[in-house]
Amino acid sequence: MSTRRIVDLLRTGQPNQTVTVQGWVRTKREQKEFCFVEVNDGSSMVGLQAILTPDLPNYADLVKRLNTGASVEISGTLVESPAKGQRIELRSTAVTIYGEADPETYPLQKKRHSFEFLRTIAHLRSRTNTLGAVFRVRNACAAAIHQFFQERGFLWVHTPIISANDCEGAGELFTVTTLDLKNVPRTDDQEIDYSQDFFGRRAFLTVSGQLEAEIMAMAFTNVYTFGPTFRAEDSNTSRHLAEFWMIEPEMAFCDLEGNMDLAEAFLKHIFKSVLEQCPEDMEFFNQRIDNSVLATAENIINSAFERITYTEAIALLEKADRAFEFPVSWGLDLQSEHERYLAEELFKKPLIVTDYPAAIKAFYMRMNDDGKTVRAMDILAPKIGEIVGGSQREERLDVLQRRIRELGLPEEDLWWYLDLRRFGTVPHAGFGLGFERVVQFMTGMTNIRDVIPFPRFPLSAEF
Ligand code: 4AD
Ligand code: MG
């Protein structure tokens, strides 16, 4: 007799089979002659119903102590269930309680709790239906991502978390230091003397693994990163985290078209695979969180993404029959309201916007012949806005150097990046997918803080 995952028993368990399950009590229903206990081990939304009968040793005491949240091991025999909605249940022959949960103080009682409240108990919230479903879907997304790239021969490369460059140039960096903050060493001109710091220079938590991924792509052709990234953006929105996970493929001998094609195939694969792996969880999101998630997923899988240039997007926004909070004009960055209008209302599907003005994009993007726009691409999704940001990279040494100087970036710090253009440079391209944004998109969860187990955002780093 071995311990079995509840999801497997629910799918394939047979009457008369003897099994042991372990998990946490979700609900207890006491009847006159027996007691029902639903046990959940996190492997599926639905738990296994166990029946406890008075012939069990210490029956009355067990029933008293088996409250919501208690941890148990139950052995018994599977029987066909007469109840609606479940195929089998467990006739219990032995019950061990590992830890009780006091019903007076255990915060997860049967009623519905707000997501805001659940965030304050992030150490317990994964035991709820919704967060349980979110983290199973998150896991399925991660597996689908690796599968997609591994099947295509991309090498998973591990780029550093501590970095000395600001890839995106947005200055949203967390400094990593061991300097004594009460007694910070200063240079003669009163600047902080980072030469005395741990790394002998100023270091940060990375905002993106892209520049290092480019190095690796110049040796392995096709690579991807999948890791945590950090941004000290003081934005308290439902789409921003200070610590989030990003997937960044980088491809040598690839242009923007190839980049867009890969990104589109990639998103389609993730959605398809999660629908296959987590049908019950996705059904739950459709019923309880957002009744459009299944239709949206089908739409993503089955229809080609729209592709327009930034200049065309601006023209469409200027024609829109509505007043936007932020102004629209050529040269200004698209705000979330603009992105959502385009994807959600106008096209009603993901849309790829290309060729943004150079002035609002990062230094590494390839300059177009017009000298004004760069080979950038953002994928905008209904409800979320930007979900992917990418570009073809500037592979021409002289053009890149000019751009770095124009922007006043520290050329000496980027010597190795420029070397890639000196030695065997090739056209190359890549993009970054915000992992939490794709999980949000998939599940319909409105707040990004509810799709990562322990969210970090301004004024919050608990758990
Ligand atoms: O558009 P971003 O800033 O692009 C880059 O970092 C490039 N280096 C990617 C590349 O070309 N390799 O970020 C990429 C994606 C965004 O589209 C968004 O989905 C997500 O990362 N993202 C965030 N997600 C959650 N919280 C934040 N604060 C985010 N900032 C960006
Ligand atoms: Mg971006």
Side-chain angles (χ1 to χ4, degrees), residues 218-239:
M218 294 303 121
F220 298 100
T221 310
N222 291 331
V223 302
Y224 69 106
T225 71
F226 189 165
T229 48
F230 306 86
R231 299 203 184 169
E233 275 177 279
D234 196 10
S235 39
N236 261 301
T237 77
S238 59
R239 307 177 316 121

Side-chain angles (χ1 to χ4, degrees), residues 168-336:
E168 294 307 300
E172 295 160 342
L173 301 159
F174 288 104
T175 298
V176 177
T177 181
T178 54
L179 289 178
D180 176 2
L181 295 183
K182 286 202 237 67
N183 186 18
V184 175
R186 299 275 171 184
T187 59
D188 291 342
D189 44 8
Q190 288 307 302
E191 296 291 329
I192 296 172
D193 185 4
Y194 285 107
S195 72
Q196 297 186 42
D197 205 346
F198 188 89
F199 297 106
R201 62 183 299 168
R202 191 164 176 198
F204 315 98
L205 293 179
T206 187
V207 298
S208 159
Q210 177 197 320
L211 302 189
E212 291 89 356
E214 284 185 56
I215 296 179
M216 300 305 270
M218 294 303 121
F220 298 100
T221 310
N222 291 331
V223 302
Y224 69 106
T225 71
F226 189 165
T229 48
F230 306 86
R231 299 203 184 169
E233 275 177 279
D234 196 10
S235 39
N236 261 301
T237 77
S238 59
R239 307 177 316 121
H240 288 89
L241 289 165
E243 175 178 306
F244 62 99
W245 287 62
M246 193 160 33
I247 300 95
E248 297 183 273
E250 192 68 36
M251 294 156 286
F253 308 99
C254 182
D255 62 9
L256 196 71
E257 296 299 320
N259 203 22
M260 289 191 282
D261 291 346
L262 185 90
E264 183 168 342
F266 179 47
L267 284 174
K268 287 181 153 78
H269 171 84
I270 299 174
F271 273 81
K272 198 156 172 280
S273 171
V274 170
L275 285 185
E276 282 164 16
Q277 297 299 314
C278 303
E280 288 111 8
D281 293 326
M282 288 302 295
E283 188 62 49
F284 171 86
F285 289 119
N286 204 60
Q287 274 176 23
R288 302 287 281 272
I289 301 295
D290 174 347
N291 64 15
S292 67
V293 295
L294 288 180
T296 302
E298 290 299 333
N299 185 20
I300 302 259
I301 294 166
N302 296 317
S303 60
F305 294 6
E306 203 65 43
R307 298 182 185 193
I308 62 173
T309 64
Y310 166 89
T311 303
E312 287 163 343
I314 292 295
L316 290 171
L317 289 166
E318 281 172 339
K319 273 198 290 195
D321 54 354
R322 80 169 47 191
F324 293 111
E325 189 188 331
F326 291 92
V328 175
S329 93
W330 202 98
L332 297 183
D333 206 355
L334 298 184
Q335 300 297 320
S336 155

Side-chain angles (χ1 to χ4, degrees), residues 363 400-409 414 418:
F363 76 97
L400 184 60
Q401 266 171 333
R402 211 178 312 134
R403 188 98 172 95
I404 287 173
R405 286 173 198 153
E406 271 168 22
L407 291 169
L409 297 174
L414 289 168
L418 291 164

Side-chain angles (χ1 to χ4, degrees), residues 361 378 386 389:
K361 288 291 184 190
D378 277 6
E386 181 190 338

